[in-house]
Amino acid sequence: VGGVIKNSNGTAAAPSYTFTNDTDTGFYSASANNIGVAANGAMISYLTAATNYTDSFFYSPRFITPATTNYPMTLTGRINDGASAVGVILDNSTTLSVAGAKIVSFKNNTTEKAAIGLGGEVMAGLGTVSLPGLTFLGDSDTGIYSIGANQIGFTTAGVGRGYIGSAGILFDSLYSNNAVTVTLKGTVADGATAVGTTIGSYNTLSTAGAKIASFVNNTTEKAYISKDGTFGSVLGAVTLAAAATTFAAAGNVMTITGDAGGNTIATITAGVTGQTLILKFVDALVTITDTAAATANTINLSAAFTSTADDTMTLMFDGNKWFETSRSIN
């Protein structure tokens, strides 16, 4: 009692500590400070320690499987907390350098589902739109998945929202939720055929009413570019109040209805530098005056103007005042 039991070092084929009816299974000295574990005459793992159990390494060239059926395998470290603390290390005892080698492979039964490559790259499963390969705890239907070769898909709530592929970046919507401006800016070099930013439709539009682009203020469309490249502006309208002498330029094309008592307009506000404004009158109740002054928002006319039904007038804003470019008495 209290003595040390010693045995020969043994080998994987003939372990030092073995069993009567199974002499090629047991424990042996793999090398100095290493305990080898053998089964059926072959090493299946070994243990080594630098100073104490917290520094121990467990090597297994084969498989580790819980002895109890329907029992999870758990790897738990006992490292003390600290800036460089690592709870569990998954490593390979030799350096991997051949293309295709992996540090870790994650399998469901025998089917690989994810892996970590030799360079540390994380290789997730392909995933689907409803269960993406890269997702989040507690929100498993939101994340990134593979649509197909060379295509990265993005999904939220199990619905595809867009993808990145060889054709570029395609998203259903592009929002900024941080109170900042969304900017589309190309980096093309200058040249005769250079185009900084292209806005277009992925599919060819041919149906009447289809639009290449729609310009919307919150949810209200203000202008658009049709399938044929025609620029359209939503028709604005204003009904002048009694004795009103001004109105705001709410768009590029406006229908003007006068008050029964008549209106004399001296200024038009809310103009944008370079804006062309087309006015269509529905009655004979509106007079536009030319004060010949250079004050803000006044109107420089070619001649006095009083409307009749269906008349039109086109004005241009230079940043300070309006200038008539044409009129049509219809």
Side-chain angles (χ1 to χ4, degrees), residues 79-101:
I79 188 73
N80 290 328
D81 188 23
S84 59
V86 179
V88 175
I89 296 175
L90 301 177
D91 194 5
N92 192 61
S93 61
T94 59
T95 300
L96 303 176
S97 59
V98 178

Side-chain angles (χ1 to χ4, degrees), residues 114-188:
I116 298 177
L118 60 87
E121 58 275 16
V122 177
M123 293 175 277
L126 297 178
T128 64
V129 67
S130 58
L131 188 62
L134 292 174
T135 183
F136 308 93
L137 292 173
D139 193 9
S140 61
D141 60 359
T142 295
I144 302 171
Y145 68 105
S146 174
I147 295 178
N150 304 317
Q151 296 184 40
I152 302 172
F154 298 86
T155 179
T156 61
V159 178
R161 305 300 182 182
Y163 71 91
I164 299 175
S166 57
I169 302 175
L170 293 89
F171 283 101
D172 293 341
S173 300
L174 182 63
Y175 291 93
S176 169
N177 61 358
N178 293 314
V180 297
T181 300
V182 173
T183 300
L184 300 178
K185 187 176 183 179
T187 58
V188 67

Side-chain angles (χ1 to χ4, degrees), residues 9 22-23 30 59 94 145 156 168 228 247 264 272 287 295 302 314 328:
N9 289 341
D22 193 6
T23 58
Y59 294 87
T94 59
Y145 68 105
T156 61
D228 299 313
F247 64 88
T264 299
V272 178
T287 297
T295 54
S302 62
T314 302
S328 175

Side-chain angles (χ1 to χ4, degrees), residues 73 86 113 283:
M73 172 64 72
V86 179
K113 296 297 185 180
D283 52 43

Side-chain angles (χ1 to χ4, degrees), residues 3-306:
V4 177
I5 299 175
K6 295 183 179 181
N7 204 342
S8 62
N9 289 341
T11 63
S16 306
Y17 299 94
T18 183
F19 308 93
T20 301
N21 296 323
D22 193 6
T23 58
D24 61 359
T25 297
F27 300 91
Y28 68 100
S29 176
S31 61
N33 303 316
N34 291 321
I35 300 174
V37 182
N40 196 28
M43 183 188 75
I44 60 169
S45 64
Y46 69 90
L47 295 169
T48 181
T51 54
N52 54 61
Y53 72 90
T54 60
D55 300 323
S56 297
F57 296 89
F58 182 81
Y59 294 87
S60 174
R62 301 201 178 180
F63 302 99
I64 305 173
T65 304
T68 304
T69 302
N70 195 28
Y71 197 84
M73 172 64 72
T74 301
L75 298 177
T76 304
R78 297 185 66 175
I79 188 73
N80 290 328
D81 188 23
S84 59
V86 179
V88 175
I89 296 175
L90 301 177
D91 194 5
N92 192 61
S93 61
T94 59
T95 300
L96 303 176
S97 59
V98 178
K102 302 167 185 174
I103 297 173
V104 180
S105 177
F106 301 91
K107 294 186 177 183
N108 184 351
N109 196 355
T110 58
T111 303
E112 186 174 53
K113 296 297 185 180
I116 298 177
L118 60 87
E121 58 275 16
V122 177
M123 293 175 277
L126 297 178
T128 64
V129 67
S130 58
L131 188 62
L134 292 174
T135 183
F136 308 93
L137 292 173
D139 193 9
S140 61
D141 60 359
T142 295
I144 302 171
Y145 68 105
S146 174
I147 295 178
N150 304 317
Q151 296 184 40
I152 302 172
F154 298 86
T155 179
T156 61
V159 178
R161 305 300 182 182
Y163 71 91
I164 299 175
S166 57
I169 302 175
L170 293 89
F171 283 101
D172 293 341
S173 300
L174 182 63
Y175 291 93
S176 169
N177 61 358
N178 293 314
V180 297
T181 300
V182 173
T183 300
L184 300 178
K185 187 176 183 179
T187 58
V188 67
D190 188 23
T193 60
V195 178
T197 300
T198 298
I199 297 176
S201 172
Y202 185 80
N203 298 316
T204 299
L205 304 177
S206 59
T207 304
K211 303 168 184 175
I212 295 173
S214 176
F215 302 92
V216 177
N217 185 353
N218 196 355
T219 58
T220 303
E221 185 178 54
K222 296 297 184 179
Y224 61 87
I225 299 174
S226 74
K227 64 179 178 62
D228 299 313
T230 303
F231 182 83
S233 179
V234 175
L235 184 65
V238 61
T239 298
L240 300 173
T245 60
T246 187
F247 64 88
N252 290 323
V253 181
M254 296 186 64
T255 298
I256 309 298
T257 301
D259 177 68
N263 297 99
T264 299
I265 301 299
T267 59
I268 301 174
T269 61
V272 178
T273 300
Q275 178 180 357
T276 296
L277 175 62
I278 300 175
L279 303 178
K280 178 180 180 294
F281 300 89
V282 299
D283 52 43
L285 299 172
V286 180
T287 297
I288 297 181
T289 61
D290 182 350
T291 63
T295 54
N297 302 317
T298 55
I299 307 154
N300 192 329
L301 299 177
S302 62
F305 177 83
T306 297

